[in-house]
Amino acid sequence: MLPNKSRGEFVRNQRKDSEGFSESPDLEFEYADTDKWSAELSELYSYTEGPEFLLNRKCFEEEFRTHVSDKKWTELDVAQHRAHAMRLLDGLEVITREKRLKVSRAILYMVQGTFAECSSEAEVQHWMRYNIFLLLDVGTFTALVELLNMEVDNSAACSSAVRKPAISLADSTDLRVLLNIIYLMVVTIQQEDPADSPEWRATRETFKTELGSPLYNNEPISVMLFGMVTKFCSGHAPHFPMKKVLMLLWKSILFTLGGFEQLQNIKVRKREELRLPPLPEDSIRVIRSMRAASPPASASDLIEQQQKRARREHKSLIKQDNLDAFNEKDPYKSDDPREDEDDNDDNDNSMEAEPFPMERDEVMPPPILHPPSERVNFPKGLPWAPKVREKDIEHFLESSRSKFIGYTLGNDTDTVVGLPRPIHESIRTLKQHKYISIAEIQIAKEDEFQKTPLSGGEEDVEMCSTELLYQGILPSLPQYMIALLKILLAAAPTSKAKTDSINILADVLPEEMPTTVLQSMKLGVDVNRHKEIIVKSISAILLLLLKHFKLNHVYQFEYMAQHLVFANCIPLILKFFNQNIISYITAKNSISVLDFPYCVVHELPELTAESLEAGDINQFCWRNLFSCINLLRILNKLTKWKHSRTMMLVVFKSAPILKRALKVKQAMMQLYVLKLLKVQTKYLGRQWRKSNMKTMSAIYQKVRHRLNDDWAYGNDLDARPWDFQAEECALRANIECFNSRRYDKNQRNPDFLPVDNCLQSVLGQRVDLPEDFQMNYDLWLEREVFSKPISWEELLQ
């Protein structure tokens, strides 16, 4: 038996754990383009693939012993290394599939760092880099991409997989080996090291350019991988290892287009080229310096203890309604997300008491003295500089003129005659914070091209990697978006197994299903991990494409965003978040001793059911938190300045779902949740705003202010429901005009094509006449020219 005091502490600790928010510290998570290099390597392999490491080694050693003496690979000199790499490259050219697979496995073992001759993970990674740059230098990459193309077009394998009732790892062996090699090469070459030689740095830049250029089958490699995704979703190739395809697609886009630091640099450079003012702040740095939106847990804990003591000792002195206000959740109640789904939108305070406990409305007990270190530190200033659009200044001036003078001047933002002095000062303040985006300039230029197709001149399009990728995926972009969202839906933890959903587990299920409890547990962890990695890859792909297309040209971004909206991306992301998000972020679906490269250089301990249940010691799962932030950022990108899409958030009752996501104590994730709540606040009604003042306070503290934006009230001029459909249709018309003008050369209006009016140049052109015409030229002259009378007077008139 526990003593009373200990038992009380135990119950309090249980309550803290069950709430999962008020007592948890800030998550020490740093958002980046990718996880650590070792983590990105290990996620490529499912645990079911473990035995193949030794098979790869065996294939390499058979080839190696045939041509080289008994020396180890690590003992040879550079010339011998290069000679053997060339021999393996020649081996890829053989016709026999079995021999080709053996050579591919030998190359995969080299790419994996010839781990049998290494004693530590650092040594494996050193030899990985060396071997990969060596293989790239001898031309292996191009040969591998050609082989991958051949395997993708292998109709026999596709038809065989379609007929099979159950698909397993064995059906995708050739594809998996090739994708493993290509992925490891891309990820390793992308990884910069200060110790790299100048030759390696030059090789990296060349490889980056080639990867984003249409050199492989006349299209960038990313377009080929998108084709694999759609082929898989159409049901014609159910054996494709989709996790590996998506991971390679993500890393290819990341390498060729650049990550978030590069995006910021491109944005700064483009603003300089357009002679726009510099950015008011570095958004990456601001977000990294922000703290989560809840005060230290110790204060709320002390208040909670005081409340319980007051309730226990002075029950008779407290009114019944105050007792109701102090009611708490049962600490042993199951945390089922379905119970939260039925929350009333207008009175959803279930989560409010947790993130901001210092702002409660109940009758508080006397203040508690606590050490200065435990005091709540409120921010001294707002983190973001306010912004104002040209449109906001126009609206303000129009309303001021109508109010004080009784006339309007359209788009004139300079004339302030007749307006009171305070209005002059307001306009001056608004103009000080005016922000002109790159997108506004691009839209204005496009409007000019559409209005003056003849005098507008030729558009100077920079053929960067983003432009080349957009041109490659443009013909089938809607199908690509639908395919990615189908896979995301199948991988989401909230999705129920349906007969018509696609099978994304083809590259994780073994040929023989598990027979013991331990094997079943291991496979269960593997399947969950597999789904998490797919979600991570798709969320990163979509976010990177949206951000790069928006910088390259806003209508490229709008085209992709509109097709995501048409494919129900908004309700899909909301469905993803309609779960116990704390459990998802703290999930422990990994077995660290089986991760590559740990598993190939250490003696593996015996796995037990207890060790599998315990999982790793990390506070949170990096990939799941990364996925959640990416999905929230995608949702923000789709809905920003789009009233029709913001109304979709309201219609799908996103407010309680998003508020539950605020339980995660990570500043960046909370920021994007608050942004999504801010845009719909004005549509949720006065009662909702009144009931959720703590959330409103957090929005005010964390989210950028738009001067003159009455987000906290319901007075929105643009929120006219009958305009929503017209808004999307107008946007779609603009996108189609842009795409046809810039990319559809065959559909150009013949009236706008240049005409040659010079007699000399027209007569001087060489015209190729058919052979039969040349043979019968005399007859043609007689019939068409000499025998026909010409009335010169009429002709001259």
Side-chain angles (χ1 to χ4, degrees):
M1 285 286 289
L2 286 167
N4 286 338
K5 185 178 177 185
S6 302
R7 191 160 61 238
E9 287 176 0
F10 173 75
V11 170
R12 276 199 297 279
N13 289 334
Q14 287 294 314
R15 180 173 286 111
K16 294 171 194 173
D17 293 341
S18 70
E19 289 176 354
F21 179 85
S22 58
E23 291 305 314
S24 59
D26 283 11
L27 300 181
E28 296 296 325
F29 170 84
E30 187 168 328
Y31 186 81
D33 295 322
T34 62
D35 201 351
K36 298 189 295 292
W37 186 37
S38 55
E40 296 295 343
L41 295 182
S42 67
E43 287 180 355
L44 176 64
Y45 309 102
S46 60
Y47 298 138
T48 320
E49 289 178 272
E52 294 189 13
F53 290 122
L54 292 177
L55 184 56
N56 299 338
R57 175 186 167 185
K58 183 183 172 186
C59 292
F60 174 83
E61 288 175 349
E62 284 176 8
E63 288 281 332
F64 193 61
R65 297 283 171 264
T66 309
H67 300 99
V68 186
S69 61
D70 292 337
K71 279 187 178 181
K72 291 183 177 179
W73 173 260
T74 51
E75 295 169 356
L76 301 181
D77 59 25
V78 176
Q80 290 171 307
H81 282 155
R82 190 177 178 84
H84 191 64
M86 294 288 282
R87 273 194 293 272
L88 290 176
L89 179 59
D90 292 339
L92 288 177
E93 304 292 328
V94 296
I95 298 172
T96 317
R97 176 180 288 274
E98 289 75 18
K99 286 185 180 177
R100 206 165 54 231
L101 179 59
K102 272 194 170 185
V103 174
S104 299
R105 284 196 179 279
I107 292 173
L108 178 55
Y109 177 70
M110 276 181 70
V111 169
Q112 288 169 342
T114 50
F115 51 78
E117 300 170 27
C118 302
S119 56
S120 68
E121 292 177 47
E123 203 177 340
V124 170
Q125 291 181 3
H126 164 77
W127 281 103
M128 277 182 72
R129 289 180 70 78
Y130 174 82
N131 293 343
I132 283 168
F133 275 100
L134 171 70
L135 288 166
L136 184 65
D137 194 38
V138 300
T140 313
F141 189 82
T142 309
L144 290 166
V145 174
E146 287 173 2
L147 273 179
L148 181 62
N149 250 322
M150 196 170 74
E151 288 298 331
V152 169
D153 294 334
N154 185 350
S155 55
C158 291
S159 56
S160 168
V162 168
R163 286 196 301 270
K164 277 194 173 183
I167 300 168
S168 67
L169 272 175
D171 298 298
S172 59
T173 304
D174 293 344
L175 279 168
R176 280 187 298 107
V177 170
L178 292 171
L179 287 166
N180 283 345
I181 301 170
I182 295 171
Y183 176 86
L184 291 172
M185 290 182 81
V186 170
V187 170
T188 306
I189 294 165
Q190 181 187 6
Q191 191 78 14
E192 294 185 19
D193 192 327
D196 286 349
S197 64
E199 291 81 11
W200 280 14
R201 288 178 187 172
T203 302
R204 178 183 295 113
E205 289 305 313
T206 308
F207 180 64
K208 178 180 175 179
T209 308
E210 289 178 354
L211 204 62
S213 303
L215 298 179
Y216 308 104
N217 202 20
N218 294 322
E219 59 189 15
I221 192 169
S222 303
V223 178
M224 183 185 83
L225 295 169
F226 267 121
M228 290 182 73
V229 174
T230 49
K231 194 171 182 182
F232 170 80
C233 286
S234 67
H236 297 312
H239 65 300
F240 280 3
M242 210 24 60
K243 183 190 84 174
K244 295 181 193 295
V245 172
L246 291 167
M247 288 183 77
L248 178 55
L249 177 57
W250 168 32
K251 294 302 165 60
S252 302
I253 292 170
L254 179 63
F255 188 24
T256 53
L257 306 191
F260 300 114
E261 295 281 356
Q262 289 93 327
L263 273 162
Q264 190 75 2
N265 296 336
I266 295 168
K267 195 171 186 178
V268 169
R269 176 176 60 80
K270 287 211 167 197
R271 289 188 70 82
E272 285 175 0
E273 288 171 1
L274 295 169
R275 297 181 182 175
L276 292 172
L279 292 165
E281 70 274 301
D282 183 344
S283 56
I284 296 171
R285 199 168 296 156
V286 172
I287 290 172
R288 282 178 180 165
S289 65
M290 290 176 80
R291 290 183 59 77
S294 65
S298 55
S300 63
D301 186 34
L302 288 166
I303 291 168
E304 187 183 60
Q305 288 176 28
Q306 185 77 8
Q307 289 170 351
K308 281 187 283 186
R309 197 176 297 120
R311 199 165 62 245
R312 196 166 48 245
E313 295 173 8
H314 306 288
K315 255 183 192 176
S316 59
L317 302 177
I318 300 177
K319 291 181 182 178
Q320 185 59 42
D321 57 348
N322 282 344
L323 273 176
D324 293 339
F326 287 119
N327 276 342
E328 294 173 346
K329 278 175 70 178
D330 181 354
Y332 301 104
K333 186 180 175 185
S334 65
D335 198 0
D336 190 344
R338 286 171 296 183
E339 293 171 12
D340 292 330
E341 286 175 14
D342 299 325
D343 290 348
N344 190 311
D345 248 9
D346 292 334
N347 297 298
D348 182 25
N349 288 316
S350 60
M351 174 248 152
E352 287 293 345
E354 292 175 354
F356 313 109
M358 293 301 289
E359 300 178 359
R360 294 183 182 177
D361 297 327
E362 297 95 3
V363 177
M364 285 293 189
I368 301 154
L369 296 174
H370 45 72
S373 60
E374 294 183 351
R375 282 188 189 145
V376 179
N377 294 318
F378 291 103
K380 292 179 181 176
L382 298 172
W384 305 98
K387 285 181 179 177
V388 182
R389 296 180 299 169
E390 184 78 21
K391 186 180 173 184
D392 299 329
I393 300 175
E394 288 172 12
H395 277 172
F396 177 73
L397 267 170
E398 288 294 278
S399 59
S400 300
R401 286 173 187 145
S402 299
K403 182 177 179 181
F404 291 105
I405 306 170
Y407 70 88
T408 57
L409 290 176
N411 296 334
D412 184 350
T413 57
D414 297 319
T415 307
V416 290
V417 177
L419 296 175
R421 180 71 56 190
I423 298 293
H424 291 206
E425 291 173 10
S426 299
I427 292 163
R428 197 179 308 118
T429 305
L430 289 172
K431 286 187 175 179
Q432 277 175 359
H433 294 94
K434 186 167 84 168
Y435 177 78
I436 302 170
S437 66
I438 296 170
E440 289 175 71
I441 303 291
Q442 290 170 341
I443 289 170
K445 283 185 177 177
E446 182 60 27
D447 288 345
E448 195 64 30
F449 278 123
Q450 296 292 348
K451 286 176 188 172
T452 57
L454 293 176
S455 59
E458 281 293 319
E459 185 182 11
D460 185 20
V461 181
E462 182 188 354
M463 297 306 290
C464 57
S465 300
T466 310
E467 184 64 33
L468 291 169
L469 179 60
Y470 183 76
Q471 290 181 14
I473 67 173
L474 177 61
S476 306
L477 188 139
Q479 292 91 311
Y480 296 154
M481 295 305 108
I482 291 167
L484 287 176
L485 293 182
K486 269 188 178 179
I487 299 170
L488 181 61
L489 176 63
T494 50
S495 295
K496 306 289 186 289
K498 293 180 182 176
T499 51
D500 58 341
S501 64
I502 49 178
N503 176 22
I504 54 170
L505 303 177
D507 52 331
V508 70
L509 297 176
E511 281 190 274
E512 296 177 2
M513 293 308 285
T515 52
T516 65
V517 173
L518 186 64
Q519 287 175 343
S520 298
M521 287 179 70
K522 181 182 163 188
L523 183 60
V525 170
D526 207 2
V527 165
N528 289 336
R529 173 177 175 266
H530 181 83
K531 289 181 176 180
E532 289 171 2
I533 295 166
I534 286 176
V535 172
K536 171 188 172 183
S537 302
I538 292 177
S539 68
I541 288 166
L542 293 175
L543 181 61
L544 274 174
L545 288 177
L546 286 170
K547 287 189 78 67
H548 276 285
F549 286 158
K550 188 167 187 180
L551 265 184
N552 198 51
H553 199 289
V554 65
Y555 281 136
Q556 295 176 350
F557 159 80
E558 295 290 6
Y559 185 55
M560 177 179 166
Q562 198 163 58
H563 279 291
L564 284 173
V565 173
F566 292 161
N568 282 333
C569 184
I570 291 174
L572 171 55
I573 293 176
L574 292 175
K575 181 180 180 182
F576 179 89
F577 278 98
N578 195 18
Q579 59 170 311
N580 185 345
I581 208 71
I582 293 278
S583 298
Y584 184 71
I585 281 167
T586 56
K588 299 187 184 300
N589 291 314
S590 58
I591 308 167
S592 53
V593 293
L594 296 182
D595 285 340
F596 178 87
Y598 183 93
C599 65
V600 293
V601 290
H602 294 92
E603 194 69 36
L604 293 184
E606 187 178 351
L607 288 175
T608 61
E610 290 75 22
S611 66
L612 287 180
E613 276 181 359
D616 55 25
I617 57 169
N618 293 327
Q619 183 191 15
F620 58 88
C621 176
W622 195 96
R623 66 173 164 263
N624 288 356
L625 190 45
F626 177 76
S627 302
C628 288
I629 292 173
N630 285 346
L631 290 171
L632 288 168
R633 293 183 76 180
I634 291 164
L635 206 50
N636 268 288
K637 289 265 173 223
L638 297 181
T639 54
K640 190 175 181 181
W641 304 122
K642 303 286 191 302
H643 299 288
S644 54
R645 298 174 193 176
T646 304
M647 286 306 295
M648 287 178 76
L649 293 178
V650 179
V651 168
F652 289 121
K653 291 188 165 58
S654 66
I657 295 169
L658 292 168
K659 278 173 54 190
R660 282 199 294 274
L662 281 173
K663 291 182 181 183
V664 180
K665 289 194 68 176
Q666 205 284 322
M668 190 172 185
M669 181 162 169
Q670 286 188 346
L671 172 68
Y672 288 108
V673 171
L674 292 170
K675 278 186 172 188
L676 287 165
L677 286 170
K678 179 184 173 181
V679 295
Q680 54 179 313
T681 301
K682 65 185 77 165
Y683 306 120
L684 294 174
R686 183 177 296 176
Q687 182 58 42
W688 188 93
R689 294 194 290 274
K690 191 175 168 185
S691 306
N692 294 280
M693 286 310 295
K694 299 123 187 166
T695 305
M696 304 282 279
S697 301
I699 292 170
Y700 182 85
Q701 286 179 8
K702 298 291 177 185
V703 183
R704 187 192 301 278
H705 287 265
R706 297 268 174 180
L707 301 183
N708 273 16
D709 178 14
D710 57 348
W711 62 270
Y713 311 98
N715 312 319
D716 187 18
L717 295 173
D718 291 329
R720 293 186 292 270
W722 56 86
D723 284 351
F724 292 158
Q725 195 170 0
E727 182 186 49
E728 288 289 349
C729 291
L731 178 61
R732 189 173 188 176
N734 289 338
I735 294 166
E736 286 174 358
C737 289
F738 164 77
N739 281 334
S740 61
R741 180 191 65 78
R742 192 190 266 199
Y743 303 111
D744 197 352
K745 304 300 180 188
N746 300 325
Q747 295 297 319
R748 285 190 171 181
N749 191 328
D751 295 337
F752 293 156
L753 292 176
V755 178
D756 190 352
N757 293 318
C758 178
L759 186 64
Q760 285 185 328
S761 65
V762 171
L763 293 176
Q765 287 178 2
R766 178 177 174 81
V767 180
D768 292 324
L769 300 170
E771 196 173 328
D772 58 338
F773 180 83
Q774 292 179 27
M775 290 175 65
N776 300 305
Y777 181 60
D778 294 336
L779 288 172
W780 181 85
L781 276 175
E782 185 64 40
R783 189 177 67 241
E784 298 294 333
V785 182
F786 302 143
S787 62
K788 288 196 176 179
I790 297 172
S791 175
W792 294 104
E793 288 80 6
E794 288 181 22
L795 189 63
L796 289 171
Q797 287 173 1

